[in-house]
């Protein structure tokens, strides 16, 4: 029986600490850290994520704006909205929810958000900082995973860490943070040969491949820490991760559930980054 890592609980504790720091910031500066979230179109999962981001930022005492734009939004309209937010002094962090509808140029959007307001840490300048290890903004999901590991007293140094998935949002920055924590890191992806042989070597296995129940118990080393970043619907429409919890849980030493695992930690990092952006804005004045 694996220990279940309770992301909801860890997020609650961490957010209480952030809310206290936001209150102190407001006391000192007379205004709240401000977050703007931009969503284009009707993607149902994105709408849920955006709603959760707004709720969490308000609960933390932040100024929160959601810009909902229709599916038919043109690139010029989106860039105009971003230019407005860029020069808005009340807004310290800007996040454009991904994926964008196919006709929009994601690269141009991510390049346009100024690095000092880029609370997703997706701008090339910020991803470069993550690579070097001198970052201001933490990549939201990977940093949330690291917070979980620290909270559970799981030491990464010297461990075999396997990351399944190589996305810019999760896989690549996750590998970097594990490396910075002195893990021995392997990144696997759809073209990896003998994937199960690689995952079975992992002391810490992070799965972010975007396929429901992809990693099964036989792919896990007994006693391993299994972190499931996935958020999918199974054949019955029920939320599930990239790990088949039922077969993985008896083998793993510790495992994150879906929902209630990594998800709440992602938003926690976003709050941390927004507060940091506000502090930076004040110190750069
Ligand atoms: N879509 C899925 N995850 C994320 C995220 O962390 N940030 C943004 N902006 N979009 C996402």
């Amino acid at each position: 029986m694996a220990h279940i890592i309770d992301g909801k609980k860890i997020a609650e504790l961490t957010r209480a600490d952030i809310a206290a720091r936001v209150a102190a910031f407001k006391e000192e500066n007379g205004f709240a850290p401000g977050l703007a979230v931009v969503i284009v179109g009707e993607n149902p999962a994105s709408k849920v994520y955006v709603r959760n981001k707004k709720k969490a930022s308000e609960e933390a005492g932040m100024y929160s704006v959601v810009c909902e734009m229709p599916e038919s939004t043109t690139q010029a309209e989106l860039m105009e909205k971003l230019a407005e937010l860029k020069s808005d002094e009340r807004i310290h962090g800007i996040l454009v929810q991904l994926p964008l509808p196919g006709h929009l140029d994601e690269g141009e959007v991510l390049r346009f958000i100024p690095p000092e307001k880029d609370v997703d840490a997706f701008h090339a300048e910020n991803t470069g900082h993550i690579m070097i290890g001198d970052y201001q903004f933490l990549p939201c999901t990977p940093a949330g995973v690291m917070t979980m590991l620290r909270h559970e007293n799981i030491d990464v140094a010297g461990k075999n860490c396997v990351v399944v998935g190589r996305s810019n949002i999760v896989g690549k920055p996750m590998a970097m943070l594990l490396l910075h924590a002195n893990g021995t890191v392997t990144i696997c992806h759809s073209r990896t040969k003998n994937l199960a042989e690689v995952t079975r070597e992992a002391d810490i296995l992070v799965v972010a491949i975007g396929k429901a129940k992809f990693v099964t118990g036989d792919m896990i080393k007994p006693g391993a820490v299994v972190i499931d970043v996935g958020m999918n619907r199974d054949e019955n429409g029920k939320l599930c991760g990239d790990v088949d919890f039922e077969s993985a849980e008896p083998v793993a030493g510790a495992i994150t559930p879906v929902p209630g695992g990594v998800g709440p930690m992602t938003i926690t990092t976003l709050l941390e980054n927004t507060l940091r952006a506000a502090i930076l804005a004040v110190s750069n004045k």
Side-chain angles (χ1 to χ4, degrees):
M1 287 282 280
H3 165 64
I4 308 296
I5 303 177
D6 186 348
K8 209 164 155 225
K9 189 73 199 277
I10 301 169
E12 252 168 48
L13 293 170
T14 314
R15 288 184 200 182
D17 173 62
I18 296 169
R21 285 189 284 137
V22 168
F25 177 92
K26 279 159 83 172
E27 180 80 24
E28 195 173 326
N29 298 289
F31 61 88
L35 173 68
V37 178
V38 179
I39 175 168
V40 185
E42 300 294 326
N43 181 313
S46 290
K47 285 171 105 168
V48 174
Y49 293 141
V50 168
R51 202 182 319 130
N52 290 342
K53 285 169 186 177
K54 179 165 172 57
K55 183 166 175 272
S57 55
E58 285 174 351
E59 280 171 2
M62 295 178 176
Y63 170 60
S64 175
V65 176
V66 172
C67 308
E68 288 176 291
M69 304 184 79
E71 186 86 23
S72 59
T73 301
T74 63
Q75 185 77 15
E77 287 166 341
L78 178 55
M79 300 312 285
E80 195 181 322
K81 172 53 74 184
L82 293 176
E84 210 180 280
L85 296 170
K86 191 172 167 172
S87 57
D88 187 338
E89 288 208 343
R90 295 166 304 173
I91 299 297
H92 306 100
I94 304 171
L95 179 152
V96 177
Q97 189 65 29
L98 302 179
L100 286 168
H103 66 281
L104 296 173
D105 180 350
E106 181 183 303
E108 187 185 4
V109 166
L110 299 185
R111 282 190 297 278
F112 186 74
I113 296 172
E116 67 276 11
K117 289 193 176 187
D118 171 33
V119 285
D120 256 329
F122 288 169
H123 190 286
E125 190 174 314
N126 286 326
T127 55
H129 281 297
I130 292 162
M131 181 103 173
I132 296 166
D134 72 344
Y135 32 79
Q136 291 286 355
F137 296 124
L138 305 152
C140 289
T141 299
V145 170
M146 296 308 285
T147 303
M148 274 180 141
L149 294 176
R150 264 194 311 278
H151 197 273
E152 296 289 310
N153 292 318
I154 295 165
D155 190 13
V156 175
K159 299 272 170 58
N160 273 340
C161 304
V162 175
V163 179
V164 184
R166 56 175 157 176
S167 69
N168 289 332
I169 296 184
V170 183
K172 285 186 217 167
M174 185 74 249
M176 275 301 140
L177 297 197
L178 290 165
L179 185 61
H180 293 321
N182 299 313
T184 301
V185 184
T186 305
I187 306 177
C188 299
H189 46 81
S190 55
R191 304 285 288 273
T192 297
K193 292 203 170 73
N194 305 322
L195 180 71
E197 277 176 31
V198 184
T199 57
R200 270 197 296 269
E201 290 296 312
D203 302 310
I204 299 173
L205 179 62
V206 182
V207 190
I209 191 96
K211 289 184 186 158
K213 302 183 185 182
F214 180 79
V215 167
T216 44
D218 57 317
M219 298 167 73
I220 295 169
K221 177 177 175 172
V225 175
V226 178
I227 307 289
D228 188 350
V229 181
M231 180 66 79
N232 315 288
R233 297 255 167 210
D234 70 8
E235 56 284 3
N236 303 314
K238 204 166 152 246
L239 279 180
C240 70
D242 290 355
V243 175
D244 176 36
F245 190 87
E246 208 180 327
S247 65
E249 189 270 338
V251 185
I255 187 166
T256 61
V258 177
V262 174
M265 298 305 298
T266 298
I267 298 184
T268 302
T269 316
L270 174 66
L271 301 178
E272 182 78 48
N273 285 349
T274 305
L275 174 58
R276 195 170 293 211
I279 293 169
L280 275 178
V282 168
S283 68
N284 287 338
K285 268 211 165 141

